[in-house]
Amino acid sequence: MILILFGLLISSITVILFLILCTRIIISFIKNKPFPKKLLITTLGGVVLVFSIYIYETYFFTFSKIDRESMQKGPGPLTSPTEEYTANAYYELYGGAAGGVNVWVEITDNNEKNKMQTVYYSDAKNNISMEWLDGDTLYILNNDPDYPNSNRSIELEIGKEIYHETGLACKSLLMKDEYETCYQN
């Protein structure tokens, strides 16, 4: 979150510097003054910094940014029919009084020293539940019947598929070895 705020601050400063640079370039041509090299270098530095933050946020995403300190327990634990996996859902509040709730589902592999993997992350709707369809397939229901376009329900094959509503997990270079297929809205 701090990195995003820092990026917005740098973006704002860079836009202001760009406008000043354009003005100074026009003045330098009209009045035959020297080209504003330092201002150009500073503006280009801001552009490079903003793009670096964007690339980092997009391609180096992990689920480690989930606010686990203020999380609330959701549906689960739900053990698979083979007892190999246990699914737990959690809620993450965001935005204060006017904000909303995200839901994520973590799978614990009971055979691999309780290894945990986040397989689902989305905006929480009114109706949330989980059901194992077989030993490796988990159905996650996340919809609001009053809003037909709000359905975020999906079947996931554990160990092979994940879902991230905004798609950041699908683009992440750090997470590409954790799944074969990534779904997004």
Side-chain angles (χ1 to χ4, degrees), residues 166-178:
T166 63
L168 285 176
C170 302
K171 296 176 188 174
S172 176
L173 299 174
L174 299 177
M175 295 185 64
K176 69 180 181 177
D177 295 333
E178 294 184 27

Side-chain angles (χ1 to χ4, degrees), residues 77-80 83-88 106-110 132:
L78 186 62
T79 305
S80 66
E83 297 185 358
E84 182 177 357
Y85 302 110
T86 302
N88 281 294
E106 285 185 349
I107 301 296
T108 304
D109 188 332
N110 300 323
W132 287 99

Side-chain angles (χ1 to χ4, degrees), residues 97-126:
V101 179
N102 289 323
V103 61
W104 80 91
V105 176
E106 285 185 349
I107 301 296
T108 304
D109 188 332
N110 300 323
N111 295 335
E112 289 191 32
K113 299 180 183 175
N114 293 328
K115 177 185 164 194
M116 293 195 322
Q117 178 189 20
T118 302
V119 297
Y120 182 89
Y121 189 84
S122 178
D123 190 41
K125 307 303 176 194
N126 287 346

Side-chain angles (χ1 to χ4, degrees), residues 61 63 121 162-170 182-185:
F61 172 84
F63 287 111
Y121 189 84
I162 66 171
Y163 175 87
H164 190 267
E165 182 172 2
T166 63
L168 285 176
C170 302
C182 183
Y183 300 102
Q184 68 186 59
N185 189 22

